[in-house]
C-alpha cells in the first residue's frame, strides 16, 4: 500500500494507441501544483488515460501505459494506489443508500478527519457550486447529477485529501466550473482534467492532445492564446448569464441589465 505523502509528480510512460501503434508522446510528467488539460474528439481516449492514472496502470490496461508517482511517501508491496487518486468521473452514481450527512461522516471518519465541522463545511462548499441546495438529510439516491458532482468536488477538496486529482468533463455537470476548478486547484496537487471546454483548456498550464486512443502532442498556450484568454473569459461569462436566465425562465431583454 502507498502511504499518502506530498506527491512531486506523476509520470506516464507511453504505450500504444487503438491500432496498437506506439504513442507519439513517450513520456509525460505532471508536477504538483500544475494542471494538464486532456483534449481530443469524442472517443479519442481521454477517459481511458484518466482511468490509467487512477489505476496506476502497469502495462495491464488496453493502452499498455505505465503510470507512477514520485513522492516523499514510502511504498511497499504492490500497492493498488488506494486513496492516492481522487477521480471525478464522467459517469457517476452512488452505490450507498444513505443520507448525505451519513456518507460524509463515514468518509471523514475513514480518513481520520471526523467532526461536525468538516461535514457542514463540505455541504456548504458543495452548495456554493450548484443551484439547488443539498441538505444534510437528503438521500444520496435523490441527488441530481449536478448535485452529486458538486458534493464529490467538495469531498475531494476537503475530505478525501488525495494527492492527485483527476476530473472528467466538469463542464457538463451543470455546476460552476470555474469555482469548482479553483476549489480543486487551491491545493498543491497535480490536476489532470479531461475537457472539451475552451476556457478550461486555455486555463490549464499545458494541454495533451489525444488522437485515436494515443497521446499525440503536448502543447502550451501560444502568445496569441494568452492574449485572447480575457476575451474567452468574457464570452464564457456572457454565456453563463444567458444560461442562468434561460434556466430560471427569465426572458432575455435587449437592455444590458439582464445580460
Ligand atoms: N490506447 C487505447 N487502446 C485501446 N483502447 C482504447 C485506447 N484508448 C481508448 N480506448 C478505448 O476507446 C474507447 C473510447 O475512449 P474514451 O472513453 O477514453 O474516449 P473519450 O475521449 O473520453 O471520449 P468522450 O469525449 O466521449 O468522453 C473506450 O472504450 C476506451 O477503452
Ligand atoms: Mg470520456
Amino acid at each position: 500500500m502507498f502511504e499518502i505523502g506530498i506527491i512531486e509528480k506523476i509520470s506516464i510512460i507511453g504505450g500504444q494507441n487503438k491500432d496498437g501503434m506506439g504513442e507519439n508522446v513517450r513520456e509525460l510528467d505532471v508536477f504538483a501544483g500544475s494542471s494538464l488539460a486532456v483534449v481530443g474528439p469524442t472517443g479519442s481516449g481521454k477517459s481511458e488515460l484518466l482511468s490509467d492514472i487512477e489505476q496506476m496502470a502497469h502495462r495491464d490496461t488496453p493502452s499498455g501505459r505505465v503510470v507512477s508517482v514520485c513522492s516523499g511517501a514510502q511504498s511497499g508491496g504492490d500497492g493498488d494506489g488506494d486513496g492516492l487518486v481522487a477521480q471525478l468521473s464522467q459517469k457517476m452514481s452512488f452505490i450507498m443508500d444513505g443520507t448525505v450527512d451519513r456518507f460524509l461522516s463515514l468518509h471523514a471518519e475513514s480518513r481520520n478527519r471526523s467532526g461536525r465541522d468538516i461535514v457542514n463545511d463540505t455541504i456548504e462548499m458543495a452548495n456554493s457550486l450548484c443551484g439547488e441546495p443539498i441538505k444534510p438529510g437528503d438521500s444520496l439516491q435523490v441527488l441530481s447529477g449536478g448535485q452529486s458532482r458538486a458534493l464529490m468536488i467538495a469531498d475531494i477538496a476537503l475530505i478525501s485529501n488525495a494527492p492527485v486529482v483527476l476530473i472528467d468533463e466538469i463542464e457538463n455537470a451543470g455546476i460552476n466550473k470555474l469555482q469548482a476548478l479553483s476549489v480543486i486547484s487551491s491545493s498543491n496537487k497535480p490536476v489532470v482534467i479531461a475537457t472539451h471546454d475552451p476556457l478550461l483548456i486555455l486555463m490549464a498550464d499545458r494541454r495533451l492532445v489525444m488522437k485515436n486512443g494515443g497521446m499525440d502532442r503536448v502543447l502550451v498556450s501560444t502568445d496569441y492564446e494568452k492574449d485572447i484568454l480575457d476575451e474567452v473569459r468574457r464570452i464564457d461569462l456572457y454565456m453563463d448569464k444567458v444560461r442562468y436566465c434561460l434556466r430560471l425562465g427569465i426572458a432575455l431583454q435587449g437592455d444590458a441589465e439582464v445580460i
Side-chain angles (χ1 to χ4, degrees):
M1 288 287 287
F2 285 93
E3 281 180 27
I4 298 175
I6 303 297
I7 297 275
E8 284 165 28
K9 63 171 182 176
I10 48 178
S11 296
I12 305 163
I13 308 287
Q16 59 195 33
N17 68 14
K18 288 193 207 176
D19 295 332
M21 309 286 288
E23 298 183 271
N24 285 346
V25 177
R26 298 308 309 159
E27 188 163 0
L28 178 63
D29 292 334
V30 188
F31 291 89
S34 79
S35 56
L36 178 76
V38 184
V39 306
T42 294
S44 58
K46 301 181 294 297
S47 297
E48 179 72 30
L49 178 72
L50 262 55
S51 156
D52 284 348
I53 299 172
E54 197 222 347
Q55 297 174 53
M56 297 283 146
H58 201 86
R59 295 196 188 88
D60 51 359
T61 64
S63 69
R65 296 181 186 116
V66 178
V67 179
S68 55
V69 295
C70 180
S71 76
Q74 301 163 343
S75 64
D78 61 352
D80 60 5
D82 181 34
L84 194 66
V85 174
Q87 178 165 20
L88 187 67
S89 70
Q90 221 170 348
K91 299 171 201 150
M92 227 198 72
S93 56
F94 288 102
I95 48 171
M96 177 179 162
D97 188 12
T99 62
V100 168
D101 187 82
R102 178 96 181 111
F103 163 70
L104 294 177
S105 302
L106 282 174
H107 193 200
E109 206 175 302
S110 75
R111 300 275 168 163
N112 291 324
R113 299 169 69 80
S114 49
R116 281 310 313 160
D117 284 356
I118 193 139
V119 171
N120 292 334
D121 289 353
T122 306
I123 295 174
E124 194 180 318
M125 181 182 280
N127 284 336
S128 74
L129 302 174
C130 63
E132 283 292 310
I134 300 166
K135 295 188 276 306
D138 284 347
S139 159
L140 291 173
Q141 302 301 330
V142 305
L143 296 184
S144 72
Q147 285 177 317
S148 306
R149 305 249 298 181
L151 190 63
M152 283 300 90
I153 289 165
D155 182 281
I156 286 170
L158 296 180
I159 297 179
S160 92
N161 207 21
V164 178
V165 181
L166 308 175
I167 308 169
D168 211 344
E169 296 194 21
I170 206 169
E171 67 271 20
N172 292 337
I175 57 175
N176 185 333
K177 64 184 180 202
L178 292 186
Q179 198 173 339
L181 191 63
S182 94
V183 158
I184 286 167
S185 307
S186 56
S187 42
N188 194 34
K189 302 171 181 181
V191 176
V192 182
I193 170 165
T195 180
H196 295 280
D197 186 274
L199 182 55
L200 293 179
I201 294 171
L202 288 175
M203 283 173 61
D205 298 312
R206 290 180 300 163
R207 56 191 189 263
L208 170 65
V209 185
M210 302 299 296
K211 192 173 168 188
N212 192 31
M215 299 187 288
D216 192 48
R217 277 173 303 156
V218 180
L219 303 174
V220 290
S221 289
T222 62
D223 287 345
Y224 175 74
E225 287 164 353
K226 283 181 198 150
D227 284 349
I228 62 162
L229 185 55
D230 280 344
E231 181 65 2
V232 175
R233 232 187 267 272
R234 200 187 59 75
I235 295 168
D236 190 78
L237 192 62
Y238 177 85
M239 288 304 294
D240 258 2
K241 287 181 180 169
V242 170
R243 195 177 296 115
Y244 174 83
C245 290
L246 295 177
R247 283 164 97 194
L248 292 190
I250 301 169
L252 305 178
Q253 307 290 341
D255 60 40
E257 287 300 305
V258 175
I259 299 176

